[in-house]
Amino acid sequence: MRFSLVVLAAGEGKRMKSEKSKVVFRVSGKEMVNRVIDEACKAGVDKACVVVGHKAEMVMEAVGDRASFVTQSEQLGTGHAVMQAREFIAENENVMILAGDTPLITADTLKKAMEAHAENKNACTVLTACLDNPFGYGRIIRDEAGNVARIVEQKDANDEEKAVCEINSGMYCFDSAMLLKALDMLTNNNAQGEYYLTDTLEIIKQADGKVGAFTVPDAVEISGVNDRLQLAEAEKVMRRRINTRHALNGVTIIDIDATYIEDDVVIGQDSVIYPGTTLEKGSVIGKGVVIGQNCRIVNSAVGDGSDVYYSTMVDSTVGEGCHVGPYAYLRPKSTVGNNCKVGDFVELKNATLGDGTKASHLTYIGDATVGAGVNFGCGTVIVNYDGKSKFRTVIGDNAFIGCNSNLVSPVKVNDNAYIAAGSTITDEVPEGALAIARSRQVIKSDWKDKRSK
Ligand code: UD1
Ligand code: MG
């Protein structure tokens, strides 16, 4: 059975108290609206359309080519929002309707709901949940036979209806043709003066369509995010889900609630992740790696058996058996080979280090290509910027860069060359040579006595 997806995301989300659209707020690194679309796609919908209105451009930019868009210029209710997608809905046999602010829904649940919809030959299947506190949600009203009769909104409900704890999740599967017919008959004759999508259920029933409910196994999946407290709660649930998956995959996560891993991060077996660490989008951590406290690793790779402590890596790669940190900063486009050391207060930017190269402390390596087996003494600076342009330094294999050296780019230090400590290198250093580029020491004897006279 073929399904399209319509995501409602035109509302204002007042309670977020933000300049941003609610649906672009991120949960574990991914925008809520994109979580909804991605899960539905995993569950098997063919194509997606997002109804945008409030802050439309922001939403469209975040969603990108995941979906097409229709605009709802005035927010006249969920039914009115769906009406804007009429043409899109008509293109496919069935449509799933979701809201853009329910980031915890899973592909598994959506897939089961679609299957139930197909098996029962329903014209509408509403996803429901039973809540201890159903306040605010639409209530599922069933007839004597236990079939779904209609949905009544909180604001329209009488006391008996308010006592019902089965609620409307705001997620549905519809037969497209039946939905389109029902939308034509919607009115806004209710407490909020809105076109309620929920009223289509009764209309479909009257037209002899079958309406069923699919109760989600875990009610947390349908929780909506309306304010920043609920956002933090959703984040917590997502964090636990992601961390649980890694833990069960053989990764030691010391504190499951204080480790922040975005969905698509890959971590090898027997790695250990300490608290306070954030592993962001696109990161790949090898096997037997230790990521110590308070690291931030963004779109970067760490090879097997390496350790990284108290450090930041952005768009960079570290090979196998390396030691990084504490307090190293690998800025974009840094590539570190195997068995290297990038020690405390070492900063790399757009730099390549060959295997076995060591920069143990207080060093800046920017715009440089460094060979294998190079040793950087403490306090080395690659002087890559003249105030206008950036230049590149090239250092050959097994070079030894003495402490407190400046290498003024562009400059080349060939294989096996030595730089004397305290040198400022401006010219190419030949292979195997020693370059000393500092003034000689001068001794002025008895200086103190002479001065005081
Ligand atoms: C809706 C349901 C309610 C359900 C609840 C679940 C209706 C009438 N009620 O109520 O039964 O329990 O969701 O969370 O459908 N939107 C638009 N355009 C509009 C109005 C809303 O795009 O004109 C979007 C919002 O951005 C949001 C979604 O539709 O993503 C739901 O709208 P909201 O106003 O939150 O509906 P609820 O009152 O929560
Ligand atoms: Mg809502």
Side-chain angles (χ1 to χ4, degrees):
M1 206 176 227
R2 294 168 65 82
F3 275 88
S4 296
L5 168 70
V6 171
V7 180
L8 307 187
E12 189 175 344
K14 279 199 192 90
R15 282 169 285 171
M16 292 303 275
K17 300 195 174 143
S18 174
E19 296 287 306
K20 294 203 301 184
S21 155
K22 169 164 86 171
V23 299
V24 305
F25 274 84
R26 291 170 183 214
V27 170
S28 291
K30 195 195 275 185
E31 298 83 0
M32 294 200 274
V33 63
N34 286 335
R35 286 200 170 274
V36 172
I37 297 171
D38 289 352
E39 291 304 305
C41 288
K42 265 191 257 168
V45 302
D46 295 329
K47 53 185 171 177
C49 176
V50 180
V51 183
V52 293
H54 187 76
K55 305 271 177 195
E57 264 149 50
M58 204 179 268
V59 179
M60 287 161 75
E61 198 191 319
V63 171
D65 59 9
R66 282 180 169 88
S68 58
F69 302 93
V70 292
T71 305
Q72 184 194 24
S73 333
E74 258 188 301
Q75 279 74 62
L76 302 179
T78 48
H80 182 257
V82 175
M83 287 177 201
Q84 313 310 309
R86 270 197 179 102
E87 283 171 31
F88 175 84
I89 292 169
E91 287 166 18
N92 221 340
E93 196 185 341
N94 293 280
V95 62
M96 169 168 271
I97 308 230
L98 303 175
D101 62 353
T102 51
L104 299 175
I105 191 67
T106 63
D108 191 47
T109 295
L110 294 178
K111 188 158 183 277
K112 285 182 181 144
M114 289 193 280
E115 283 164 4
H117 179 74
E119 272 166 32
N120 296 313
K121 301 195 167 60
N122 288 343
C124 172
T125 307
V126 52
L127 280 74
T128 72
C130 294
L131 301 186
D132 294 338
N133 176 14
F135 181 84
Y137 287 95
R139 308 297 206 284
I140 304 293
I141 308 301
R142 293 181 182 258
D143 60 22
E144 300 84 46
N147 297 316
V148 178
R150 59 200 168 84
I151 298 173
V152 57
E153 291 305 297
Q154 173 79 36
K155 286 184 182 148
D156 300 290
N158 62 33
D159 288 344
E160 196 186 328
E161 289 162 340
K162 281 180 190 155
V164 173
C165 72
E166 188 182 13
I167 61 100
N168 169 24
S169 67
M171 307 179 189
Y172 323 77
C173 299
F174 282 101
D175 173 276
S176 299
M178 294 291 265
L179 172 63
L180 290 170
K181 266 190 241 155
L183 288 175
D184 290 338
M185 296 168 74
L186 271 190
T187 62
N188 61 354
N189 194 1
N190 52 53
Q192 302 186 79
E194 288 184 1
Y195 294 92
Y196 289 166
L197 178 60
T198 44
D199 287 346
T200 59
L201 273 69
E202 236 182 320
I203 300 173
I204 286 172
K205 276 196 84 121
Q206 276 157 14
D208 286 332
K210 199 173 163 200
V211 174
F214 176 82
T215 306
V216 301
D218 183 0
V220 78
E221 285 197 27
I222 57 101
S223 16
V225 170
N226 296 303
D227 57 36
R228 310 243 186 171
L229 185 62
Q230 288 173 337
L231 181 70
E233 279 157 8
E235 178 90 32
K236 204 168 177 175
V237 172
M238 189 59 69
R239 183 152 70 230
R240 226 173 213 273
R241 255 189 217 169
I242 294 172
N243 292 352
T244 300
R245 172 162 58 81
H246 289 293
L248 297 178
N249 247 347
V251 177
T252 300
I253 298 191
I254 305 283
D255 185 340
I256 215 98
D257 293 316
T259 307
Y260 310 86
I261 306 176
E262 297 187 357
D263 315 70
D264 69 342
V265 170
V266 176
I267 312 176
Q269 208 173 304
D270 285 325
S271 288
V272 183
I273 317 291
Y274 280 83
T277 283
T278 304
L279 304 178
E280 295 181 30
K281 220 184 194 148
S283 293
V284 178
I285 311 298
K287 291 182 191 162
V289 169
V290 178
I291 308 284
Q293 294 85 345
N294 300 331
C295 290
R296 177 169 181 245
I297 299 186
V298 184
N299 189 36
S300 294
V302 179
D304 296 351
S306 290
D307 50 57
V308 181
Y309 291 100
Y310 293 99
S311 291
T312 298
M313 287 178 64
V314 181
D315 300 333
S316 291
T317 301
V318 164
E320 297 177 6
C322 293
H323 303 289
V324 177
Y327 310 109
Y329 185 12
L330 278 71
R331 290 167 56 199
K333 292 199 239 162
S334 296
T335 305
V336 175
N338 297 328
N339 306 312
C340 291
K341 181 162 186 199
V342 180
D344 50 276
F345 306 104
V346 173
E347 178 173 330
L348 263 55
K349 187 215 85 177
N350 189 19
T352 305
L353 304 189
D355 293 346
T357 286
K358 293 185 168 62
S360 295
H361 13 239
L362 298 160
T363 290
Y364 174 61
I365 306 173
D367 299 308
T369 304
V370 180
V374 172
N375 189 82
F376 285 92
C378 179
T380 300
V381 175
I382 306 280
V383 185
N384 61 328
Y385 185 51
D386 65 0
K388 276 194 194 142
S389 309
K390 302 274 166 69
F391 299 95
R392 206 166 177 84
T393 277
V394 176
I395 301 175
D397 293 342
N398 304 312
F400 182 94
I401 315 296
C403 288
N404 198 28
S405 299
N406 298 306
L407 281 74
V408 182
S409 306
V411 76
K412 188 171 184 200
V413 177
N414 287 285
D415 293 353
N416 302 310
Y418 279 66
I419 307 292
S423 293
T424 294
I425 300 296
T426 54
D427 298 323
E428 180 165 350
V429 182
E431 188 173 342
L434 166 67
I436 310 173
R438 62 180 188 231
S439 50
R440 280 199 165 274
Q441 184 167 321
V442 175
I443 299 286
K444 301 203 171 177
S445 307
D446 305 324
W447 172 249
K448 187 171 189 292
D449 289 348
K450 284 180 196 159
R451 200 178 146 193
S452 50
K453 272 180 197 158

